[in-house]
Amino acid sequence: MNAFSLTPAAAEPHLHVARRSLDRLRGVPALAGRYAGHGEPRTLDDLAALPALVKDDLNVALAHLRPTAERGATWLFQSGGSTGAPKVGYAPTGFYMHGVYEQWRPLDRDDVFVNAWGAGRMWGAHFLAAAFADLSGCQVIALGSVGRDEYGDWLSFFADREVTAFGGTPSVLRLWFAHARATGVKLPALRKVLWLGEAWHPQLDEDMAAVAPDARRWGMFGSTETWVAGTNTPQCPADVFHLLPSQLVGMDADGLLDFTTLDPDVLNPVLRYRTGDAGRFVTCTCGREDLALRILGRRDSVVQVRGLGLHVDDIVARAEREPGVIRAQVVINERQGRVASVDVLLLAGPGASPERLRQDLMASTFTISTAFQHDPESFRVSVVDELISNGRTGKTSGFVVREEP
C-alpha cells in the first residue's frame, strides 16, 4: 500500500505527465514487457500499480531515448556518482531552478555567494547552483578545484569580500569550516550556508558557530535523476524537506521512496523512480501546513565518500571480474567521522594484479577519481589472507566501515 505526498485532487490533474513518461518507457525494447497489462495511470491507485524503476532501468531507458530539450541546450550529466563509464542524465538549460526559486529564496541581490560545489567531471550540482544564483541576482564567486594548501588564502579573500552566502556538499563545507576554525579565521558577514548532495552533519553546526555565528543552513534534497525534489529553511529540521509541487513522492510500507515527475519539462522519464532513500511524511515544525518529507537515509549500496556516491556493489563486481580474484570487499576508513581512505581488499590467487586493478578503478570510476584527486594514495587495493567478517554471525559483507584512531 503506497502513501503519496499529494492528494488525489492535487496530483491527478497532472498525471498526463506520468502517462507521457509511461509511453516513453514502453518505447524502450528492454523495458516494454514490464508494463504489459498496465493501463494508463489516471488515479494515484493506477500509479501505485505500476512497477518501480531503479537506477539500472533508468539508465537503460536514457541510453535508448536520449532526450533533448525543447528550448535551450540539453545538458548531459553523470548520474548518481556511478562507477565505470558515466551513466548519463539530462537536463535543459536552467536545470529546473525556476520551480525551486518559486518556493525557496535563501539568496537575494545583496548577497555575495561562494559556489563551492565542484565543477566539471559531469556533475550537475555546481551548474544547478549557478542557475539558482542567476535567478537570485546575487554576486557569485565560482570556485574550481581547491587544494588544502589554498584554503587559507581563499578564506582571507572571502573575509575581505564580505561573503554572505556559501554553498556546497556538507563534506566539502566541513573541510572549509574546520580549516577556518582551526586557523582562527572568522567570516563575520556570512549569514547563509546552502547545501545539497548528502545529509547535513552536526559537526558543521559547531564549526559554523565558531567561524560565522550568524550563519544558518538552507538545504536542498534530490538526485541527478530527479533533480531538486525538496527544500528546507533554518526553521526546519535538517532532515525534513518541503517537496516541490512538481514532485510526487510515493512511500511503501517499508518507507522506501519513489519519485514521479509532474513537470512536463523534465527530460528524464521519472516514473516511480527509486533513489534508494527511505523516509516518512511529517508535519514540519517550521509551521508550514503542507506535508513534508523526513529523510531516514539510504537503503541501497551507495555510500557517501567525500560528498560523492560510491556504488559499493559495482566496485565489488568489477574487482571480482579481475583474473585471480576470488572475493572482494570495500572498506571505508573513517577518522573522527570523516572518510580518510578507502581500501579494496581481495581474496586472490597468484594471478591477481592489485596495482593494475587500482589503476583501472582510479581511471574509470568517477567517484574515486574525483574524491581522491588530491591524495590518490588514500585509495588502495591489496590482497589479504582474509576479509573482515562479523565475529558474531560469521557473515562477510561486501562493505565495511572502519573507524581509525
Side-chain angles (χ1 to χ4, degrees):
M1 180 67 178
N2 269 52
F4 287 97
S5 59
L6 296 175
T7 64
E12 289 172 358
H14 304 283
L15 287 183
H16 62 92
V17 180
R19 294 192 289 273
R20 186 195 66 176
S21 295
L22 178 59
D23 288 341
R24 295 168 70 194
L25 291 168
R26 280 175 169 161
V28 179
L31 300 179
R34 67 186 298 148
Y35 297 107
H38 291 280
E40 301 288 324
R42 299 188 179 278
T43 68
L44 290 181
D45 287 342
D46 295 339
L47 185 70
L50 294 174
L53 279 175
V54 296
K55 185 178 294 292
D56 287 344
D57 300 327
L58 188 57
N59 290 329
V60 168
L62 291 173
H64 178 83
L65 296 170
R66 297 193 176 189
T68 58
E70 293 184 8
R71 297 178 299 277
T74 301
W75 291 71
L76 278 64
F77 289 108
Q78 190 274 344
S79 173
S82 67
T83 61
K87 297 175 180 178
V88 176
Y90 297 81
T93 298
F95 315 108
Y96 316 111
M97 287 296 100
H98 282 281
V100 178
Y101 185 67
E102 288 176 0
Q103 171 169 302
W104 192 65
R105 300 283 178 97
L107 300 177
D108 56 47
R109 292 191 63 84
D110 294 331
D111 279 312
V112 181
F113 170 56
V114 175
N115 182 352
W117 281 279
R121 293 181 180 266
M122 294 184 72
W123 191 33
H126 179 90
F127 305 96
L128 175 153
F132 183 82
D134 188 59
L135 293 171
S136 304
C138 61
Q139 293 185 39
V140 181
I141 299 171
L143 293 183
S145 178
V146 176
R148 295 177 183 175
D149 58 343
E150 300 176 281
Y151 283 179
D153 290 340
W154 275 111
L155 285 166
S156 296
F157 177 72
F158 298 155
D160 290 342
R161 297 299 302 181
E162 297 183 330
V163 162
T164 62
F166 202 110
T169 63
S171 289
V172 169
L173 294 172
R174 288 175 67 191
L175 295 175
W176 282 104
F177 283 100
H179 184 93
R181 185 179 184 182
T183 56
V185 174
K186 304 292 184 182
L187 297 174
L190 188 63
R191 300 289 186 274
K192 307 157 184 180
V193 175
L194 283 63
W195 56 285
L196 168 70
E198 59 185 349
W200 184 257
H201 197 283
Q203 182 62 46
L204 269 168
D205 294 318
E206 296 183 23
D207 291 343
M208 284 167 51
V211 174
D214 293 327
R216 300 292 182 266
R217 53 166 176 75
W218 295 75
M220 292 178 281
F221 165 74
S223 71
T224 310
E225 298 83 14
T226 65
W227 295 89
V228 174
T231 62
N232 68 22
T233 73
Q235 288 72 47
C236 307
D239 58 353
V240 174
F241 297 86
H242 296 272
L243 295 164
L244 302 182
S246 60
Q247 297 277 0
L248 174 61
V249 178
M251 182 181 65
D252 69 11
D254 296 321
L256 197 62
L257 305 175
D258 63 74
F259 295 78
T260 296
T261 184
L262 302 181
D263 183 349
D265 293 327
V266 170
L267 300 183
N268 295 342
V270 177
L271 180 66
R272 295 210 61 218
Y273 177 69
R274 285 185 172 169
T275 60
D277 293 293
R280 61 188 176 92
F281 297 125
V282 298
T283 300
C284 185
T285 55
C286 73
R288 280 183 53 168
E289 296 181 357
D290 60 317
L291 198 65
L293 178 65
R294 169 165 278 127
I295 302 300
L296 302 178
R298 299 189 67 88
R299 293 185 181 172
D300 60 9
S301 65
V302 181
V303 296
Q304 291 293 319
V305 174
R306 300 182 177 180
L308 300 169
L310 182 68
H311 285 245
V312 172
D313 288 349
D314 289 352
I315 294 290
V316 170
R318 169 66 184 85
E320 292 180 350
R321 290 197 298 270
E322 187 75 4
V325 174
I326 301 169
R327 191 168 181 185
Q329 183 180 61
V330 174
V331 180
I332 307 295
N333 302 298
E334 293 187 346
R335 188 178 300 124
Q336 296 180 341
R338 302 177 182 178
V339 174
S341 61
V342 172
D343 287 286
V344 179
L345 306 182
L346 308 176
L347 286 180
S353 175
E355 182 55 28
R356 183 181 66 233
L357 175 60
R358 178 186 175 279
Q359 292 176 357
D360 287 347
L361 290 171
M362 285 289 292
S364 64
T365 306
F366 172 84
T367 296
I368 293 171
S369 64
T370 302
F372 299 106
Q373 180 179 4
H374 299 297
D375 56 338
E377 70 279 1
S378 296
F379 175 72
R380 301 175 291 260
V381 179
S382 57
V383 175
V384 296
D385 292 331
E386 60 181 10
L387 302 180
I388 299 171
S389 61
N390 185 312
R392 181 177 60 83
T393 65
K395 294 181 179 180
T396 301
S397 171
F399 166 55
V400 173
V401 176
R402 183 166 55 189
E403 182 68 27
E404 294 183 344

